[in-house]
Amino acid sequence: MSDSRSAEPAASHIASSHEGTAVGRTSLADEAQIAAAGAADLVRAYRSGALRPSTVVDTLLQRVDRLEPQLNAVTEVLADSARARAAEADRRYAQADGGQADHVNADHVDAEAAKTSSLASQPLLGVPVILKEKHALAGHALTQGVIELAETPTADHPIVERLIAAGAVPIVRSTVPEFCAATVTESRQWGVTRNPWNSECTPGGSSGGSGAALAAGYAPLATGSDIGGSTRIPACYCGIVGYKAPYGVVPGLQPSSMDWYRSDSAMGRTVDDVRVMHNVIAGQHAADQLSIPSTPVPALPGDSAELQAQLAGRRVVLSSRLGDYDVDADTLRELHATAEALANFGVDVVEREPAWHADALMELAFAHYGHMLAPSMSDEIDRAHAAVSPYITQFVEHALATAARIPLHETLRRETAVRDELSAMMNGAIALLAPVTARTALPAQAPINSVDEHGRHYWQQQMAVPFNINNRCPVLAVPTGIGDAGVPTGLQIVAHPYAQNDAFMIGAAVESVRPWAGRRPAL
């Protein structure tokens, strides 16, 4: 496999060529262990000398080559650059070992402390990462799933820049729906991306390629973005962790970064891995004047007893339906089992429902999209004479029609009312727990008709958008169990504005009381 600089339509889009290197095949048992390792696991193994970044990268490239025909989650394999970055990481770890040994002989300081100090500037050194295709990688085609919009950026997206500076190794780029504007991942350019837990089902969208690739073990970390659930929905359907940071905390690129519903995101397989990645990508950036200074989310308690002591008696609110969303029974079953486990852990769980209505929330969101997003999509389609899927045409038409009925100043008034209701419901609590999705599993294809006979858009099957409206609230999506279709279920943890540590503390508690690490799709 080698770096691909262009994309081709449908299922044959991945560049794949064997380069005549001397790399040997890794056994499937070894491959499975490496594929299951988290970012923190890999860094520990690199520092101890148990693994080399080059071994990990070669093994995961083999895995991508073997599994991609099943999933179709990758737009581009970055084999050449990944191997080069891994080789440099090998050298850095070896250099740290050598420098540490000399330092210890001379000064008798702690060996591990010396090694950690020499590598502290690159907390993700040698860790493979999946890049959502919409996050620009300099010199590589950027289309967002619409080939007519292809361009070749000359600079990395701010979060890609920061990941590479932290030592991460981009290994693949992942599929998105057209314009990243769907809750499934399907496009005319790349075809249908499938869920590794059940190939008949979608991994969600728009970060569905990242979610599927994470669940399949292509890498322990991935980038996502979220303007209506695009990080949290794939996290739920793929059994991984996804984080929507408060608006402005993670830098983006204008003009999309001017939309206060959106955020670029960290995705991973553990809460702490996502915390570390988020700390790498967050913070003010010169390319985004709307980005704000950010305090890193502190390390989580080292063991379950310490976590339990810190959360004892702290209140969280459980909302099963966020008003009147029609939620599938298996999602509710796993949500309530998780809430019960948290209560047994010592967390004070109280049940409340907001005075929200799903129809009204979606009307408000689509008025916002009609003012902020759909006009530019329409302009780009016309300018490029782009051929787009029906779900994009229907999205644009529905958003523009809704905005024509509801002026921008009215959307701002309604958004304020939604935020006030959330503040009242969360009074006295540190977080809200709610489902991410109303439908536990959806088919691996775009809906034939995006709007039903009642005027409801298919996005209403999801429960993420209320917390894009509540855009200063951090929201962490974590797994809760497995639904009846074999697709994972999840919940979203919503904390008060900018109270990021609370979201991660509750996420760590869910991970402790409902362990997930041993569950993996049977690929």
Side-chain angles (χ1 to χ4, degrees):
M1 289 181 285
S2 60
D3 284 12
S4 167
R5 302 293 168 139
S6 62
E8 298 174 6
S12 62
H13 58 269
I14 301 174
S16 179
S17 62
H18 296 280
E19 296 180 315
T21 63
V23 176
R25 301 293 295 184
T26 304
S27 74
L28 288 181
D30 290 340
E31 178 190 306
Q33 287 187 322
I34 288 174
D41 299 327
L42 291 178
V43 170
R44 281 191 294 268
Y46 296 156
R47 288 180 172 175
S48 71
L51 273 176
R52 294 168 63 243
S54 289
T55 302
V56 170
V57 165
D58 282 325
T59 299
L60 295 181
L61 287 172
Q62 292 170 17
R63 186 172 181 86
V64 172
D65 194 33
R66 184 168 59 82
L67 296 181
E68 248 318 90
Q70 302 176 47
L71 300 182
N72 192 38
V74 169
T75 70
E76 184 178 5
V77 177
L78 305 170
D80 291 343
S81 59
R83 288 188 174 117
R85 293 185 196 280
E88 174 60 18
D90 290 346
R91 187 192 66 78
R92 290 269 287 121
Y93 280 109
Q95 184 181 56
D97 279 338
Q100 163 228 319
D102 294 342
H103 196 63
V104 169
N105 291 337
D107 299 323
H108 306 288
V109 299
D110 178 76
E112 188 58 35
K115 185 188 299 186
T116 299
S117 176
S118 69
L119 300 172
S121 65
Q122 293 189 297
L124 298 177
L125 183 61
V127 176
V129 63
I130 299 151
L131 301 181
K132 185 175 181 178
E133 193 267 357
K134 75 159 291 173
H135 291 130
L137 183 64
H140 293 248
L142 176 64
T143 71
Q144 296 193 72
V146 183
I147 190 63
E148 293 90 346
L149 303 182
E151 57 180 314
T152 304
T154 58
D156 295 333
H157 188 283
I159 69 172
V160 174
E161 171 194 304
R162 286 178 169 172
L163 286 166
I164 291 172
V169 178
I171 189 168
V172 297
R173 299 174 74 205
S174 60
T175 51
V176 297
E178 294 161 22
F179 286 99
C180 297
T183 63
V184 297
T185 297
E186 185 270 346
S187 68
R188 291 167 61 94
Q189 182 178 356
W190 294 314
V192 176
T193 299
R194 299 184 178 276
N195 192 319
W197 294 88
N198 180 343
S199 63
E200 297 302 310
C201 295
T202 182
S206 66
S207 308
S210 286
L214 276 171
Y218 292 1
L221 298 174
T223 68
S225 60
D226 196 314
I227 198 172
S230 286
T231 292
R232 289 162 287 152
I233 294 164
C236 176
Y237 284 149
C238 295
I240 60 170
V241 180
Y243 182 49
K244 185 201 78 67
Y247 176 66
V249 168
V250 176
L253 289 177
Q254 297 185 34
S256 63
S257 61
M258 297 179 71
D259 188 332
W260 57 89
Y261 275 25
R262 71 172 305 283
S263 174
D264 293 294
S265 309
M267 303 173 73
R269 294 196 292 262
T270 72
V271 170
D272 197 56
D273 276 358
V274 169
R275 179 192 67 85
V276 172
M277 178 178 165
H278 169 72
N279 284 346
V280 166
I281 65 176
Q284 201 162 29
H285 192 285
D288 181 4
Q289 290 190 6
L290 300 176
S291 60
I292 63 175
S294 177
T295 302
V297 180
L300 297 167
D303 59 50
S304 180
E306 183 182 353
L307 179 64
Q308 187 173 24
Q310 291 194 28
L311 289 176
R314 304 298 299 275
R315 174 166 290 180
V316 301
V317 173
L318 173 67
S319 175
S320 298
R321 300 183 186 276
L322 292 179
D324 63 358
Y325 281 89
D326 180 20
V327 185
D328 285 345
D330 47 354
T331 288
L332 291 176
R333 178 189 70 218
E334 300 301 330
L335 174 72
H336 292 152
T338 302
E340 182 179 358
L342 284 174
N344 293 335
F345 196 65
V347 177
D348 179 21
V349 181
V350 298
E351 295 193 50
R352 298 173 184 166
E353 292 293 337
W356 288 345
H357 298 287
D359 286 350
L361 288 167
M362 290 310 301
E363 181 182 56
L364 171 56
F366 268 87
H368 171 94
Y369 298 139
H371 291 298
M372 300 293 294
L373 179 62
S376 63
M377 291 171 63
S378 180
D379 286 351
E380 289 189 68
I381 292 168
D382 291 344
R383 172 184 56 79
H385 304 289
V388 296
S389 295
Y391 69 82
I392 290 296
T393 302
Q394 291 167 1
F395 175 92
V396 170
E397 291 174 348
H398 188 61
L400 292 176
T402 309
R405 295 196 314 271
I406 306 173
L408 181 60
H409 69 84
E410 175 64 13
T411 70
L412 299 177
R413 186 193 67 79
R414 294 189 191 186
E415 286 178 359
T416 299
V418 170
R419 293 176 186 138
D420 288 347
E421 178 66 25
L422 180 64
S423 295
M425 184 175 63
M426 290 180 62
N427 185 36
I430 64 170
L432 164 72
L433 310 181
V436 178
T437 67
R439 299 284 81 83
T440 307
L442 292 173
Q445 61 187 27
I448 296 172
N449 291 306
S450 298
V451 182
D452 68 16
E453 66 273 18
H454 303 292
R456 296 189 182 100
H457 195 270
Y458 74 99
W459 283 24
Q460 196 163 316
Q461 298 169 323
Q462 313 299 337
M463 301 168 70
V465 77
F467 307 109
N468 297 92
I469 297 171
N470 287 278
N471 53 24
R472 266 62 174 181
C473 292
V475 191
L476 186 71
V478 295
T480 55
I482 297 286
D484 295 344
V487 172
T489 60
L491 60 77
Q492 49 189 336
I493 301 161
V494 184
H496 287 281
Y498 299 103
Q500 299 187 93
N501 190 37
D502 288 341
F504 278 92
M505 288 279 285
I506 297 297
V510 171
E511 200 171 56
S512 178
V513 300
R514 299 278 283 178
W516 183 261
R519 295 188 177 189
R520 300 183 189 93
L523 289 163

